[in-house]
């Protein structure tokens, strides 16, 4: 078994602190799996100092090694600044899908009556993001314009992955775009969803307009769902779905790039939340999402040992919460490092027991 290399994308504020916690869990001495870490400093300070050169260097490493874990980073608001490293990375690795799953956190009461997992399969490119925008006119006659685009390939990749993932997890593909008011633009995505449904006749398919999808989520309970979305729709919907289960820190996010045969070529995992500057240095932030990001990354590695380590991290993290080791956002008193220590203890114990039973 060859050593796997993980590209570590360092970030800002509490985001970087939580990445450090996740890397503690991924140490070979904990997970019994040999990893090499190649770091890149994607802090706002270094991105400005290098004029984003470090982002492109990191993308080259991702394309070479195939695996990355990323801390939350600051995106400056000023026009002409370095912008979003996420957008640059997605473009450079040809990321096409962002995968986020809201799941029940044991012993944590969800905000609505959801129970089964809900996965949002979001376009990572095209649509409203990076669209050209401009204004014309003055006063009350001033008008704003934006050009957006969708590609047939991206629509097909998102649709196919949604049905493949639903087949793998036993879920129903649910939702869809507002094609009734946008038959040309959003209709292209609907065409690909219907075509994917025909290719996967054993996967349940319940197409809905995006507004109905939001409303019907409040009535879901016992059925696992996979919701394929346009870029902008998925950005909004995925945050809502994760929060419905109790905390936005309770699930990981994955950016996926594919080869021509629809195999995952590059995966970058991260937490879905931001840099949380108010929590920096206080050792109180919830590291769950970053720890689970590490577990998700291991799940893409083909080695049995990596799969076992991934499962151990997922189980240990959720068991810790279930048995009362929680940070303040989940109603507990554990610090960031105390929660991570508990996960490490449980991962080590699980792998030791599992080895004895082989």
């Amino acid at each position: 078994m060859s050593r796997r290399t993980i590209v570590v994308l360092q970030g800002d504020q509490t985001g970087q602190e939580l990445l450090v916690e996740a890397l503690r869990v991924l140490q070979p001495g904990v997970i019994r799996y040999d990893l090499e870490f190649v770091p890149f400093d994607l802090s706002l300070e270094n991105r400005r100092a290098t004029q984003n050169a470090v982002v492109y260097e990191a993308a080259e490493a991702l394309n070479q090694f195939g695996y990355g874990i990323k801390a939350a980073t600051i995106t400056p608001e000023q026009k002409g600044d370095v912008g979003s490293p996420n957008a640059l990375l997605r473009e450079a690795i040809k990321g096409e899908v962002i995968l986020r799953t809201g799941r029940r956190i044991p012993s944590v009461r969800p905000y609505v009556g959801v129970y089964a997992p809900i996965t949002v399969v979001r376009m990572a490119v095209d649509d409203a993001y990076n669209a050209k925008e401009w204004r014309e006119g003055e006063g009350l006659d001033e008008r704003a314009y934006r050009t957006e685009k969708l590609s047939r390939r991206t629509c097909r990749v998102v649709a196919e992955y949604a049905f493949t993932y639903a087949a793998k997890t036993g879920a129903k593909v649910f939702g869809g775009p507002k094609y009734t008011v946008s038959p040309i633009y959003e209709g292209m995505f609907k065409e690909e969803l219907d075509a994917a449904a025909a290719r996967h006749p054993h996967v349940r398919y319940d197409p809905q307009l995006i507004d109905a999808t939001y409303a019907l989520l409040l009535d879901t309970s016992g059925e696992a769902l996979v919701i394929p979305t346009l870029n902008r729709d998925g950005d909004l919907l995925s945050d809502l779905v994760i929060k419905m289960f109790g905390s936005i820190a309770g699930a990981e996010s994955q950016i996926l790039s594919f080869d021509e045969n629809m195999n995952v070529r590059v995966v970058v995992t991260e937490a879905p939340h931001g840099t949380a500057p108010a929590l920096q240095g206080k050792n109180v932030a919830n590291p769950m999402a970053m720890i689970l990001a590490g577990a998700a990354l291991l799940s893409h590695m083909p080695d049995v040992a990596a799969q076992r380590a991934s499962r151990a991290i997922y189980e240990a993290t959720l068991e810790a919460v279930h048995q009362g080791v929680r940070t303040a956002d989940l109603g507990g008193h554990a610090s960031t490092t105390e929660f991570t220590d508990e996960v490490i203890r449980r991962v080590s114990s699980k792998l030791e027991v599992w080895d004895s039973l082989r």
Side-chain angles (χ1 to χ4, degrees):
M1 179 183 66
S2 61
R3 174 188 293 184
R4 301 287 174 182
T5 299
I6 294 178
V7 178
V8 177
L9 306 173
Q10 299 168 342
D12 294 296
Q13 299 172 334
T14 308
Q16 175 58 25
E17 295 174 354
L18 297 180
L19 174 63
V20 171
E21 297 301 304
L23 293 178
R24 288 176 56 205
V25 179
L26 291 177
Q27 291 305 304
V30 176
I31 63 173
R32 303 187 179 197
Y33 184 68
D34 198 12
L35 295 170
E36 181 179 0
F37 300 96
V38 178
F40 289 87
D41 181 2
L42 266 57
S43 66
L44 178 59
E45 180 181 7
N46 197 44
R47 282 180 281 136
R48 283 172 169 165
T50 64
Q51 287 298 293
N52 277 332
V54 66
V55 180
Y56 292 107
E57 292 170 4
E60 288 181 12
L62 288 168
N63 283 320
Q64 177 183 354
F65 297 114
Y67 304 103
I69 186 168
K70 181 183 175 295
T73 47
I74 296 172
T75 297
E77 298 179 0
Q78 301 91 336
K79 187 177 180 180
D81 209 327
V82 290
S84 167
N86 293 339
L88 295 176
L89 286 170
R90 290 172 199 168
E91 181 179 2
I93 68 172
K94 294 182 171 57
E96 293 179 291
V97 165
I98 298 174
L99 183 72
R100 294 181 178 177
T101 297
R103 63 176 67 87
R104 191 171 65 89
I105 304 172
S107 300
V108 174
R109 184 175 181 179
Y111 288 103
V112 293
V114 292
Y115 184 85
I118 302 174
T119 298
V120 178
V121 180
R122 167 191 165 192
M123 286 184 185
V125 292
D126 290 345
D127 197 32
Y129 297 90
N130 291 326
K132 180 182 178 182
E133 295 183 334
W134 71 96
R135 295 180 184 177
E136 296 177 0
E138 297 180 354
L140 295 180
D141 291 325
E142 184 180 14
R143 297 181 181 182
Y145 299 87
R146 179 170 66 195
T147 60
E148 301 177 8
K149 70 175 179 67
L150 292 177
S151 71
R152 177 69 68 177
R153 174 187 164 85
T154 300
C155 291
R156 184 165 300 176
V157 166
V158 173
E160 181 65 21
Y161 188 79
F163 277 85
T164 301
Y165 191 84
K168 176 183 175 182
T169 58
K172 175 175 73 175
V173 175
F174 177 77
K178 187 83 170 181
Y179 68 94
T180 51
V181 298
S182 179
I184 301 299
Y185 183 84
E186 300 197 22
M188 179 185 287
F189 188 34
K190 178 64 162 56
E191 291 166 8
E192 290 299 330
L193 289 172
D194 291 346
R199 292 192 297 271
H200 298 270
H202 299 298
V203 175
R204 289 163 296 163
Y205 178 40
D206 184 5
Q208 300 286 342
L209 300 178
I210 186 63
D211 50 347
T213 301
Y214 274 96
L216 292 171
L217 278 180
L218 300 179
D219 293 329
T220 62
S221 57
E223 188 170 26
L225 302 177
V226 171
I227 307 176
T229 71
L230 298 171
N231 200 344
R232 177 67 176 272
D233 291 341
D235 193 1
L236 305 176
L237 185 62
S238 59
D239 283 357
L240 171 66
V241 163
I242 294 173
K243 185 66 175 178
M244 285 167 61
F245 287 87
S247 173
I248 198 170
E252 71 283 2
S253 181
Q254 305 178 47
I255 303 170
L256 306 175
S257 170
F258 301 88
D259 63 19
E260 292 302 319
N261 296 317
M262 275 298 296
N263 299 310
V264 175
R265 185 183 66 85
V266 179
V267 55
V268 180
T269 62
E270 60 184 344
H273 53 70
T275 60
L279 303 181
Q280 185 178 7
K282 297 181 180 179
N283 197 27
V284 296
N286 187 343
M288 274 186 69
M290 277 307 309
I291 292 173
L292 295 176
L297 192 61
L298 291 172
S299 74
H300 287 276
M301 298 178 183
D303 311 300
V304 173
Q307 299 291 320
R308 284 162 54 83
S310 172
R311 181 73 184 187
I313 295 171
Y314 273 116
E315 288 188 8
T317 303
L318 296 175
E319 283 177 5
V321 175
H322 177 61
Q323 295 182 14
V325 183
R326 307 176 188 174
T327 48
D329 61 311
L330 296 179
H333 304 284
S335 68
T336 305
T337 53
E338 287 172 343
F339 184 86
T340 307
D341 288 343
E342 180 65 15
V343 171
I344 290 172
R345 184 187 71 79
R346 289 172 180 268
V347 169
S348 299
S349 177
K350 282 179 179 294
L351 292 174
E352 178 69 25
V353 171
W354 292 350
D355 278 347
S356 71
L357 294 175
R358 286 198 293 182

